[in-house]
Amino acid sequence: MKKALSVLLSIVFIVSLAACSGGSSSKDGAKNISILTPFLSSVTTNEMVEALKKQAEDHGWKANVIDTKGDVGQLASRMEDVIASKTDAIVIVSTDPNQLKAQIQSAKDKGIPVLGCDSGYIDGMTMNATSDNTEMSKMVTTHLFDSLGKKGNLVVLTYRAHPGVLKRTLLLDEMLQQNPDVKKVTEMQVEVPGPIESARKEMESLLLANKAEGSITAVWTGWDEPAIGAAQAIEASGRKDIVVIGIDGNSQAVDMIKKGSPLVATVKQNFPGMAEIVAQQLENVFQGKEVEGTELYAPASLITKDNA
Amino acid sequence: MMETTKITKTSSSVQWSKLFRSYGTVIAGILIIIMFSVLNPGSFATLDNAINISRQISFLVIIGIGATIVMSVSEFDLSIGAMASLGGVIAAKIIASGGPLWIAFVVPVLVALIIGFINGWIVTQFRVLSFITTLAMSTVLGGFTFWLTGGATIFENIPDSFRYIGQKSLGSIPMLSIVMLLVTILFWYVMTQTAFGRRLYAIGGNESASRIAGLRVKWNKNAAFALGAALAALTGVLMASRLGSAHPTAGNGLFLQAYAAAYLGMTSFKEGVPNIWGTFVGAAIIGVLANGLTIMEVPTFMQDVITGVIVIAAVIMQRLGRNAQ
């Protein structure tokens, strides 16, 4: 009996301790921003969340970060909770808003703005900041075509089922039409998940099938993971005449570019830039002004061996 | 005179301790609710939020009941999380390709019945640990789900009719909460008021005695696994309906919480025995904690720590209750 009571009391004690450490809501007048994501452990998402926290601090807002470890159902529940707690704004990071339609609507009904950081925009949201996929693709594809002297044999590794990657690939299609001397050897769809391994295997087979020097001059990939896989395959085969480009600027890719692998260029998405745009637009909302647009782009930058 | 006093005192203390052992978790739950209400009268203790919580816990209650049924025969099904993910994906695939609504709800549950039965069959036929068997099955189901989805979320071409149960309310009560209550009452009835339920508890209590008494142990165990998996798949379908999309790992996080709810539940109502209303209370406590702590802006990592500590405390309390018996 005594033991049971002591266990019970300690539970209540622990919970109340935690609850008190949680701090009181915005009685001090500072705006409360709820930052929600299911992917805090992902490198890029984490970078954005950290940048958002920094931005919130600079604007004098109180940021509360909620991560649900990949669980979108949980995310919907936690979003309802922050709506119930009358938060002043919600920022969803790296989250497909289509999965939160009902919650976004209910936030809108309660007058709580929902902003996206690299999330996508749907009706009911205030705005979303992301990268312009077409523009990024143009940057790196132009760089590749220029360095090839606008002629050569191109292998394409992509995944058209992903809406962002599709935009990048469509731009490539357009540029291939404008540059008839760049010939497409083949286009392969990379398997997701496991894109690095999949691209590596595909590239190994393609190298065996195209042994003659110059039969492949470059590999265009829809994002960095297949670029890494393709570069590894080329490196292992010992062929020096093939270059690879990627898009995203993930740290492994940048590292490979630095070390002089077949991977020669990528485009780095500006994640802190996205956080900055979200914060600016939120400031506008708090001041009762209109946002500058519902889908805003953070400018990306080309990474080559010179600046990696 | 002195003798009398002593006796009275002892018996009242026994009564208190019995009350406490039976309803300790319920009391803890009420204390937690009172505490959050006092600290956040404007946001926690509102009708809106109560409705909110009832909808949020519906998944955990339903999948937790599935876990409870399997636990009643002293086995574990670790594949319920993966089963929920698969259930949601199958439903979304059917509805997105233009299939009728009822098919989208029924097929995943039927598939789950079969998979659960296979789980049970392997465990009972080869006398292997359900722990490992269902863990392996969980991997199989996860692989199957990824194959079906290509790892991507399914959200295109999902009609509004599919979202009805997950997102709409009857009056002000969410459909999900109603489904949760119906499932709870149904399985409370099945587990306590029918011969089938009593057989499950008998097998869970003493398997060899049940066998000697002539119970078809294998068949009943298989049925328990099948029901557990079916409820997991139903949870997955309801989640897909709520989100209007199906994520290949949507249900995975529920599996540990389901057992946490069931264990918390073992300390209420029927001491030391997995039971349906106990699981309901357990899920409600986990749901209230997540909701209340989020409203209080307690960091997520702290919420995990607290939930884990509470489950450990529940297991200890259940042990103490058993020893006292």
Side-chain angles (χ1 to χ4, degrees), chain A residues 3 5 8 14-16 18-19 22-23 32 62 64-67 69 77-78 80-81 84 86 96 98-99 192, chain B residues 20 24 28 35 42-43 52 56 150 153 155 242-243 245 290-291 294-298 300 304 306 309 317 320:
Chain A
K3 279 187 201 161
L5 185 66
L8 196 72
I14 291 167
V15 174
S16 48
N32 265 300
K62 250 187 76 189
N64 174 33
V65 179
I66 295 167
D67 166 50
K69 302 184 194 66
S77 293
R78 300 290 76 83
E80 287 164 0
D81 294 346
K86 304 187 180 76
D96 181 352
N98 284 299
Q99 298 174 304
V192 181
Chain B
F20 213 77
M35 190 196 69
S43 44
N52 204 0
Q56 291 178 2
T153 305
F155 65 89
R242 183 189 188 204
L243 296 174
S245 61
N291 169 278
T294 308
I295 287 180
M296 301 282 307
E297 297 182 358
V298 175
T300 347
D304 291 345
I306 291 168
V309 166
M317 273 181 61
L320 293 176

Side-chain angles (χ1 to χ4, degrees), chain B residues 268-322:
Chain B
S268 35
F269 306 122
K270 276 182 155 184
E271 296 151 30
V273 179
N275 68 94
I276 303 296
W277 281 108
T279 301
F280 182 93
V281 170
I285 289 179
I286 294 173
V288 166
L289 276 173
N291 169 278
L293 293 172
T294 308
I295 287 180
M296 301 282 307
E297 297 182 358
V298 175
T300 347
F301 70 88
M302 198 62 204
Q303 296 189 21
D304 291 345
V305 172
I306 291 168
T307 312
V309 166
I310 284 180
V311 173
I312 293 173
V315 181
I316 296 174
M317 273 181 61
Q318 183 234 336
R319 190 79 220 169
L320 293 176
R322 274 222 169 142

Side-chain angles (χ1 to χ4, degrees), chain B residues 95-170:
Chain B
I95 203 82
S97 58
L101 190 62
W102 69 274
I103 295 269
F105 273 83
V106 169
V107 169
V109 175
L110 288 179
V111 170
L113 277 171
I114 296 167
I115 292 170
F117 199 87
I118 295 173
N119 267 335
W121 182 78
I122 297 172
V123 169
T124 53
Q125 194 65 31
F126 302 102
R127 305 205 173 190
V128 286
L129 286 176
S130 58
F131 225 74
I132 300 301
T133 310
T134 55
L135 188 63
M137 183 58 88
S138 165
T139 316
V140 172
L141 298 180
F144 201 67
T145 309
F146 265 97
W147 173 70
L148 272 177
T149 58
T153 305
I154 304 170
F155 65 89
E156 273 159 350
N157 302 322
I158 291 190
D160 280 344
S161 60
F162 181 69
R163 299 165 202 252
Y164 182 80
I165 288 190
Q167 297 186 1
K168 294 289 181 286
S169 299
L170 205 67

Side-chain angles (χ1 to χ4, degrees), chain A:
Chain A
M1 163 68 191
K2 271 184 192 155
K3 279 187 201 161
L5 185 66
S6 62
V7 172
L8 196 72
L9 282 178
S10 36
I11 294 175
V12 175
F13 178 68
I14 291 167
V15 174
S16 48
L17 261 187
C20 295
S21 75
S24 55
S25 35
S26 64
K27 282 172 195 123
D28 47 354
K31 296 277 188 193
N32 265 300
I33 316 297
S34 301
I35 302 169
L36 282 83
T37 181
F39 304 119
L40 194 60
S41 56
S42 135
V43 179
T44 50
T45 304
N46 205 296
E47 191 181 346
M48 275 186 277
V49 169
E50 287 304 317
L52 277 168
K53 276 161 75 178
K54 175 89 187 17
Q55 288 287 336
E57 202 177 301
D58 293 350
H59 284 84
W61 306 327
K62 250 187 76 189
N64 174 33
V65 179
I66 295 167
D67 166 50
T68 59
K69 302 184 194 66
D71 189 336
V72 183
Q74 276 278 341
L75 195 74
S77 293
R78 300 290 76 83
M79 188 157 165
E80 287 164 0
D81 294 346
V82 298
I83 293 169
S85 78
K86 304 187 180 76
T87 186
D88 293 300
I90 295 169
V91 182
I92 53 174
V93 187
S94 311
T95 311
D96 181 352
N98 284 299
Q99 298 174 304
L100 300 167
K101 263 185 187 162
Q103 288 73 26
I104 288 170
Q105 197 52 48
S106 110
K108 195 189 176 198
D109 295 344
K110 298 253 163 68
I112 300 169
V114 179
L115 296 90
C117 199
D118 200 25
S119 289
Y121 174 83
I122 63 166
D123 218 31
M125 289 173 67
T126 306
M127 55 84 58
N128 176 53
T130 183
S131 295
D132 185 341
N133 280 299
T134 308
E135 190 52 42
M136 288 196 299
S137 177
K138 196 173 184 174
M139 251 183 204
V140 74
T141 312
T142 309
H143 171 80
L144 176 69
F145 282 21
D146 286 351
S147 66
L148 293 177
K150 296 201 166 87
K151 61 171 198 282
N153 296 315
L154 195 65
V155 164
V156 178
L157 301 180
T158 186
Y159 184 69
R160 287 184 189 249
H162 183 286
V165 175
L166 177 65
K167 279 187 191 166
R168 300 170 183 181
T169 317
L170 288 175
L171 187 275
L172 171 73
D173 292 345
E174 205 178 289
M175 287 194 60
L176 280 169
Q177 270 183 352
Q178 290 162 4
N179 297 279
D181 288 338
V182 183
K183 302 233 167 17
K184 182 149 88 175
V185 179
T186 181
E187 173 178 320
M188 312 238 344
Q189 305 298 308
V190 178
E191 276 171 38
V192 181
I196 296 184
E197 185 53 23
S198 161
R200 187 186 165 118
K201 282 184 195 151
E202 285 173 356
M203 199 62 222
E204 281 165 358
S205 313
L206 287 169
L207 288 171
L208 287 174
N210 298 278
K211 279 188 176 156
E213 192 160 327
S215 53
I216 300 174
T217 41
V219 182
W220 185 99
T221 67
W223 71 109
D224 276 346
E225 265 97 347
I228 292 165
Q232 285 171 345
I234 295 166
E235 217 160 19
S237 77
R239 281 168 75 164
K240 306 276 182 210
D241 54 336
I242 307 172
V243 294
V244 183
I245 61 98
I247 303 174
D248 278 348
N250 88 25
S251 50
Q252 190 182 357
V254 173
D255 196 50
M256 286 173 77
I257 294 172
K258 212 185 286 180
K259 286 185 180 144
S261 89
L263 179 53
V264 292
T266 184
V267 181
K268 189 164 173 55
Q269 296 202 56
N270 186 355
F271 295 111
M274 291 177 207
E276 200 173 315
I277 292 174
V278 168
Q280 275 165 8
Q281 299 310 311
L282 190 53
E283 185 67 57
N284 282 353
V285 173
F286 284 154
Q287 290 174 2
K289 291 189 219 156
E290 288 288 309
V291 290
E292 286 160 30
T294 51
E295 190 87 74
L296 298 175
Y297 298 123
S301 50
L302 185 70
I303 307 262
T304 59
K305 202 169 183 199
D306 302 332
N307 61 359

Side-chain angles (χ1 to χ4, degrees), chain B residues 13-28:
Chain B
S13 128
V14 164
Q15 267 176 1
W16 270 106
S17 119
K18 190 167 164 29
L19 179 81
F20 213 77
R21 281 207 313 273
S22 306
Y23 296 103
T25 311
V26 182
I27 296 169

